[in-house]
């Protein structure tokens, strides 16, 4: 039985039903582990649920015959619509692939000017998200202090995609699993900052971050009962503020 994990039981169930493409009434749901908020973020755990599709009983022979006849009548239309959908998705995928290839052509001279030798491996995650991974021995130079360089390159990349008509395609640049490591660091920073805000009774202002990093902080503390978070300032100096609940 497939398992799904999220911050709350309801969210895990919703994600599972969406992933399996079924309605709640057609599913068997087993809560393996309930979520726990913890105390000041300590001891917190996600919810885990198991979801399986309920096997439908076989219909009677007359019902099966009617269904077969109906299916036969609509077969041509169904096949046509299916092919149309496939064509649309394929066309979209090809367009996104070409856009990412153009982007790599745009990035290469910039990387060369920075004195970085790197190979780029593109990956289309879905219709709205793509990733370019850099393989290089100069990871520190490419990332920069606190991700300053790679984030700047990512901003340039998004601007370029917008310029060529692909504003709905989000791009992420990564190297040596930096994005995952940075996310884990930000989560720990969020919990540490929350404890500091509660202990001092004063709001704590974090360093300016790009929007996708601020989102990690907000998401990490959204269920914390003792603090609130909000963003302050203007880009590129916009930062997260963590304040005690009664602050």
């Amino acid at each position: 039985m497939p398992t799904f994990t999220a911050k709350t039981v309801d969210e895990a169930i919703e994600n599972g039903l969406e992933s399996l493409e079924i309605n709640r009434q057609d599913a068997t749901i087993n809560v393996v582990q309930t979520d726990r908020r913890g105390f000041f973020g300590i001891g917190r755990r996600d919810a885990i649920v198991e979801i399986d599709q309920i096997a439908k009983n076989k219909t009677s022979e007359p019902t099966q015959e009617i269904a077969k006849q109906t299916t036969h009548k609509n077969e041509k239309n169904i096949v046509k619509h299916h092919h149309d959908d496939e064509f649309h998705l394929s066309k979209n995928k090809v367009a996104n692939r070409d856009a990412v290839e153009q982007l790599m052509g745009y990035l290469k001279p910039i990387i060369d000017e920075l004195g970085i030798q790197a190979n780029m491996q593109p990956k289309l995650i879905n219709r709205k998200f793509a990733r370019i991974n850099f393989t290089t021995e100069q990871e520190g130079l490419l990332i920069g202090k606190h991700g300053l360089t790679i984030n700047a390159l990512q901003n340039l990349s998004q601007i370029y995609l917008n310029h060529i008509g692909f504003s709905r395609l989000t791009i992420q640049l990564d190297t040596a699993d930096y994005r995952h490591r940075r996310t884990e660091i930000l989560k720990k920073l969020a919990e540490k900052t929350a404890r500091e805000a509660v202990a001092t009774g004063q709001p704590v202002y974090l360093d300016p971050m790009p929007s996708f990093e601020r989102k990690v902080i907000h998401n990490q503390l959204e269920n914390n009962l003792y603090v609130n978070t909000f963003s302050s300032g203007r880009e590129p100096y916009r930062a997260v503020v963590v304040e005690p609940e009664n602050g």
Side-chain angles (χ1 to χ4, degrees):
M1 184 179 293
T3 58
F4 301 90
T5 304
K7 291 183 179 180
T8 66
V9 171
D10 288 340
E11 185 178 349
I13 292 174
E14 183 179 346
N15 292 343
L17 295 175
E18 182 177 351
S19 176
L20 297 174
E21 297 182 346
I22 57 176
N23 297 321
R24 191 161 187 151
Q25 61 268 26
D26 297 328
T28 300
I29 300 172
N30 177 39
V31 179
V32 178
Q33 175 177 287
T34 59
D35 55 285
R36 184 169 63 192
R37 292 173 178 171
F39 183 71
F40 292 167
I42 300 175
R44 180 178 180 178
R45 70 183 185 188
D46 290 339
I48 302 175
V49 301
E50 293 180 336
I51 302 177
D52 200 8
Q53 185 172 7
I54 297 174
K56 296 182 179 180
N57 295 329
K58 293 184 178 179
T59 58
S60 62
E61 290 184 4
T63 304
Q64 290 179 347
E65 184 61 29
I66 294 173
K68 186 183 296 184
Q69 292 175 3
T70 304
T71 301
H72 180 71
K73 289 180 181 179
N74 295 318
E75 186 177 21
K76 291 183 179 180
N77 288 334
I78 293 173
V79 171
K80 181 179 182 299
H81 292 161
H82 179 65
H83 287 170
D84 288 345
D85 291 342
E86 283 188 342
F87 175 77
H88 177 73
L89 291 175
S90 177
K91 185 177 180 181
N92 184 277
K93 184 176 181 179
V94 170
N96 285 352
R97 183 196 63 196
D98 291 344
V100 173
E101 288 180 353
Q102 291 181 56
L103 172 60
M104 290 192 296
Y106 169 76
L107 288 174
K108 188 179 187 309
I110 300 176
I111 299 298
D112 291 342
E113 285 294 324
L114 292 173
I116 300 173
Q117 295 182 350
N119 293 321
M120 290 180 274
Q121 293 85 37
K123 184 176 183 180
L124 297 177
I125 307 302
N126 53 48
R127 291 187 301 169
K128 296 183 178 180
F129 187 79
R131 180 183 293 119
I132 296 177
N133 186 65
F134 291 84
T135 303
T136 178
E137 295 181 357
Q138 300 166 285
E139 296 160 358
L141 184 60
L142 177 60
I143 294 171
K145 185 177 181 181
H146 299 313
L148 184 62
T149 303
I150 197 168
N151 287 345
L153 290 171
Q154 184 164 302
N155 287 337
L156 279 176
S157 299
Q158 198 65 60
I159 292 172
Y160 178 82
L161 287 176
N162 295 347
H163 178 70
I164 64 174
F166 285 81
S167 59
R168 294 185 179 180
L169 179 61
T170 299
I171 190 71
Q172 182 188 77
L173 305 187
D174 197 9
T175 184
D177 201 30
Y178 168 73
R179 294 300 179 192
H180 174 73
R181 292 186 284 114
R182 177 64 174 167
T183 296
E184 294 304 309
I185 290 173
L186 290 173
K187 288 180 178 180
K188 293 178 181 178
L189 174 64
E191 298 294 350
K192 178 182 177 182
T193 305
R195 291 193 291 271
E196 180 181 348
V198 172
T200 63
Q202 298 295 323
V204 179
Y205 291 76
L206 297 178
D207 291 334
M209 301 176 189
S211 60
F212 55 86
E213 291 192 346
R214 296 197 303 269
K215 186 176 180 180
V216 175
I217 303 292
H218 292 308
N219 289 344
Q220 184 67 16
L221 297 178
E222 65 180 352
N223 293 322
N224 191 307
L225 298 177
Y226 307 99
V227 296
N228 294 317
T229 66
F230 61 92
S231 293
S232 177
R234 293 185 177 181
E235 300 290 0
Y237 306 107
R238 195 163 175 79
V240 175
V241 181
V242 181
E243 64 176 6
E245 174 66 26
N246 296 323

